[in-house]
Amino acid sequence: MTISADHPAPDQAQRLPAEDAVSEAVRKFGITVEDYMLPARHQIQMVDPDGRLRAESEQGTEPGHEYPLPADEELLAAYEQLVVGRRVNDQNSALVRQGRMAVYPSSHGQEACQVAAALCLSEGDWLFPTYRDAVAVMARGVDPVETMTIFRGDWHSGYDPSRHKVGIQCTPLTTQLLHGVGVAHAAKLRGEDTVVLAMCGDGATSEGDFHEALNFAAVFHLPVVFFVQNNKYAISVPLAHQSVAPSLAHKAVGYGMAGERVDGNDVVALLAVLDRAVKLAREGSGPLLVEAHTYRMQAHTNADDATRYRQDSEVAEWLAKDPISRMKTYLTGRGLLDDDGAARIAAHAEDVATQLREGLGEDVPVDPQELFRYVFSVPTPQLKEQSAMLADELAREASSEESPK
Amino acid sequence: MSPTITTSSEANGNVSAATARAAASAASVAEASGPQPITMAKALNTALADAMHADPSVLVFGEDVGLLGGVFRITDGLTRTFGEQRCFDTPLAESGIVGMAVGMAMNGMRPVVEMQFDAFAYPAFQQIVSHVAKMHNRTRGTVKLPMVIRVPYAGGIGGVEHHCDSSESYYAHTAGLKVFTPATVADSYRMLREAIDSDDPVMFMEPKKLYWSKDLVDLSGLREEHVSNAEAGVSSEGRAAVARSGTDATLIAYGPSVPTALAAAAAAAEEGRSLEVIDVRSIVPFDDETVCASVRKTGRAVVIAEAHGFASVSSEIVARVQERCFHYLAAPIRRVTGFDVPYPAPKLEHYYLPGVDRILDAVDDLQWEN
C-alpha cells in the first residue's frame, strides 16, 4: 500500500519515509487504507452518561480502531483535572460578572476534551489551543493566573509559550493549526520525536487554514494530532450550516490521514483515542484527526445570548451527559474514588479558584511604556520618539495633578 | 536513520550530511575575484546560499522553489546543494507557507519563504498581520520570529493582472513588520543577509523589474563585508543611502523607482540642475535622519513610488519630511506615484508608472522662482 500510488513524485521519494510507517500501521491492523483512514462507523464511547463501562462490543470499536482502557492512574489524574477545570470555568464566569475579567469563553461542559488534550501529551510535546481552551492550557501545567491574563486585559498573553510548549491561546480561527504544523516540521527536521496536538472547534473547520494545515501536515507526514471539539455551535450557527460531511472526522481521508470520532464527554474514551493518536503520530504514521462530540453548555461568552438560537430542551439533554458526574460515578463504582478522595480533589479545585480570585482580583498596575517595548527586538527610532512623547505627556499630567492651578 | 537538521546553537557538534555536502560544494565554487557583472537575481541567490551555509537553521520553502529554482530562479540550485530538507516545495497555499514558517520560527528555525508574486501573497495576509507581526509583542518578547517573507513586487515587466502589485504599503502599515526593499545588486545581497539575520520578521520586497539588472559587484567582497560587519556588530540595516549627491532638490525613491530617479537626476544635470537621490532601502524602520538631512540641505523634494499615491508609503514620507523640515522647504513636497487605479494591463503600464519626464515635471514645479 502506498497512499500516493496515484501521485508519483519520484524525486521526492526519499523525503517521504513516513509513508512506510503508514503502510506498517495499516498492515499491523490488517485492514485496508480506507478503513484505516475513515472513522469507525460509530463514535467511540467507553463510559456511558450514567457512568457505566460499556461492554467492549458496544464501545464503537472496529478492527484497526481498537482502544484499550487507559490506566487507573491516568483516569484518576483526569478526574482531578476535570473537577479543577469545572471550578475554574465557573470561577472565571463569576469574575467576568464582577468586572474582574474582560471576557471569558467558558468550556463548561467540554472539560473532558480540555483535560484529555493536555494529558495525552508528553513533556516535550506541544499544545496549540484556542481562546476557549484555557482549561487545557492549565492542565498542561501553566499557572492559572498567567493563563487568564489574556482575559484580564492587561496584556495579550500571560505565559511564555516556549517554556511551557503551549502556543498562545489563539483567537483567529485555525491560524494556530499551521503554527503547530511548523513546530512539528522543525522538530522532525531535527530528528526529535515531538508530537503536536492542535485544537479547533467545529465552526473553525470551515476556515481555509484548517484545510491548509491538515494538507501540509499530511504532505510532510508530520506528527500532528488535530483535535476538533465539535460543541455544535459557532457562536450561534449550528454545525449544519458549516458542513454537510458525514462527520468532521470524515474530512481526514480527503487529506490522506486517519480520522476518528469520540464521545467528547467521556474522558475515558477521549484519553484512549488521543493516547493512541499521539502514539501513532510519534511512531511516524503522520497526522491524525480526532473529532470529539461535546456541547458548549453556556453561551459563547458573557456577551452572547444563547437563548436566541437554541432550545432549553437541547441544553437539558446535554446536561444529562455531563462529563464530570459520569466520571465520578464510574470511578466510585470501580472503587477508585471514595469520599475522602473526592473531598481532597474538591479542596484542590477550591485552592485553584482562590488563586484565581486573588490573582485576578488585584489591580495589576499597567506600564504604558510596555506599549513600545516588544514591538521589535530593538525599538525603531520612531518608536523611541513615540515612547518619549508618551512619557512626556504622562510627566506633564503628573506634575499638573501635583500642583493644581 | 533520517538525516537531521541542527539549529545554529547545536551546529558545532552535529552537522548534518546535507550541510556537509553544502559546505563541500561551496568550497568548490570559486568565484572570480574582483567586481563582475552580476544580476540582482544572482546576488539574491548567492545571499540565500551563503546564509544557508552560515546557519543550518536557515530553511527556504515556497511554491516552485525546489527543482525549478523559483519562477524567477532566485532559489536556483539550493535544493541540489542543500538537499530537500532545507529547500523544498510546499503545497500551493500561501497562508500555509507563512503559517508553517511561524511555527518553524517558534521552534528554532530561520525560515525564508517565497511568495511567488505580490498579489498571490494575500491569502497569507491574516497570518502576516495577526501573527507574524504580533507574536513578539503579545508574548512580551518571549517568542521571536526570525523569518523572512520574500515578495517579488511592483511592475515594469509587462505582467498580466495580479502579477504586478505594489503591496509594500499594506505591510509598512502593520506594526511589527520590518519592510526592506533593495534597489541595487550589492544591496540586494547585503539586505537579504541582514533580513535573514534579523530576529524580527522581515517583509523583503524584491523589485521584480530589477531582477535582471546588472551591476559590477564583487560577491566575495560582499560576503567578507557581511562577516566582518557581523563580527564588529555594525550594520546598514534601517539606513537610507545617498544614491547620487546633489544640491538643488532631493528625489526620494525606493526599490524599482530608484533607477528611474537616477535617470531623472542624470537628465536634470544636463539641464544644469543638481538633484540628490535618496534610496530609502528600509521602509520600516525608516531613516528620517538621512532623508531629512538631504531635504534640509536642498530645500526641495519629490517623492517617487510606483504604488498608488493615496494612503501610501509615499504619503507617509511626505508627511514625515514636512513635519521635520517645514522651515527648510522652499516649495511644497511633490509626489510622483502610480495613479489611484487598479494595476493596469501591460499595454497601459507605461502611462501608469512614474517615468523620467513626470519626475522632471514635478521638479520643474518646485517654485524655483522663490
Side-chain angles (χ1 to χ4, degrees), chain A residues 146-349:
Chain A
E146 283 185 14
T147 305
M148 304 311 163
T149 298
I150 184 173
F151 304 118
R152 182 170 58 185
D154 52 302
W155 203 256
H156 304 298
S157 179
Y159 55 89
D160 174 359
S162 311
R163 186 158 76 85
H164 298 284
K165 297 197 174 358
V166 177
I168 44 129
Q169 282 190 259
C170 191
T171 314
L173 302 178
T174 66
T175 53
Q176 78 283 3
L177 303 184
L178 282 163
H179 307 163
V181 167
V183 163
H185 202 160
K188 183 182 171 181
L189 289 173
R190 287 194 299 262
E192 298 163 0
D193 71 347
T194 307
V195 172
V196 171
L197 186 136
M199 305 173 79
C200 72
D202 48 308
T205 63
S206 299
E207 291 281 359
D209 277 3
F210 176 80
H211 161 69
E212 296 191 20
L214 268 70
N215 195 43
F216 272 57
V219 167
F220 294 113
H221 283 282
L222 301 176
V224 183
V225 176
F226 296 98
F227 182 47
V228 180
Q229 290 173 86
N230 175 357
N231 68 9
K232 309 297 180 285
Y233 289 92
I235 302 188
S236 67
V237 179
L239 180 58
H241 290 266
Q242 305 290 347
S243 173
V244 293
S247 80
L248 298 176
H250 276 80
K251 293 186 178 229
V253 68
Y255 299 102
M257 69 173 78
E260 197 70 284
R261 283 175 284 190
V262 56
D263 180 348
N265 285 12
D266 173 8
V267 79
V268 181
L270 278 162
L271 284 170
V273 170
L274 288 174
D275 282 349
R276 193 185 80 147
V278 168
K279 181 169 179 286
L280 285 171
R282 203 181 312 280
E283 287 168 359
S285 299
L288 298 101
L289 172 64
V290 175
E291 176 191 8
H293 283 267
T294 182
Y295 195 76
R296 195 192 73 212
M297 293 302 291
Q298 297 178 345
H300 168 65
T301 64
N302 47 299
D304 176 36
D305 175 8
T307 62
R308 292 174 73 105
Y309 51 83
R310 66 186 194 187
Q311 302 294 320
D312 289 348
S313 58
E314 185 183 279
V315 180
E317 198 183 302
W318 278 92
L319 190 61
K321 300 179 188 171
D322 186 74
I324 299 174
S325 56
R326 144 177 4 190
M327 191 59 175
K328 187 174 187 185
T329 308
Y330 171 65
L331 291 176
T332 310
R334 284 205 40 210
L336 293 169
L337 183 73
D338 57 15
D339 289 348
D340 284 353
R344 188 191 57 76
I345 287 169
H348 174 207

Side-chain angles (χ1 to χ4, degrees), chain A residues 48-92:
Chain A
D48 73 15
D50 297 326
R52 282 185 301 255
L53 183 68
R54 301 190 68 141
E56 228 168 87
S57 60
E58 287 170 14
Q59 291 179 356
T61 56
E62 287 172 14
H65 298 257
E66 288 139 338
Y67 298 96
L69 199 64
D72 293 347
E73 311 81 73
E74 196 180 2
L75 297 181
L76 270 173
Y79 178 69
E80 178 152 2
Q81 292 295 334
L82 283 177
V83 174
V84 172
R86 174 64 53 87
R87 187 69 190 90
V88 165
N89 274 330
D90 295 346
Q91 178 62 76
N92 285 346

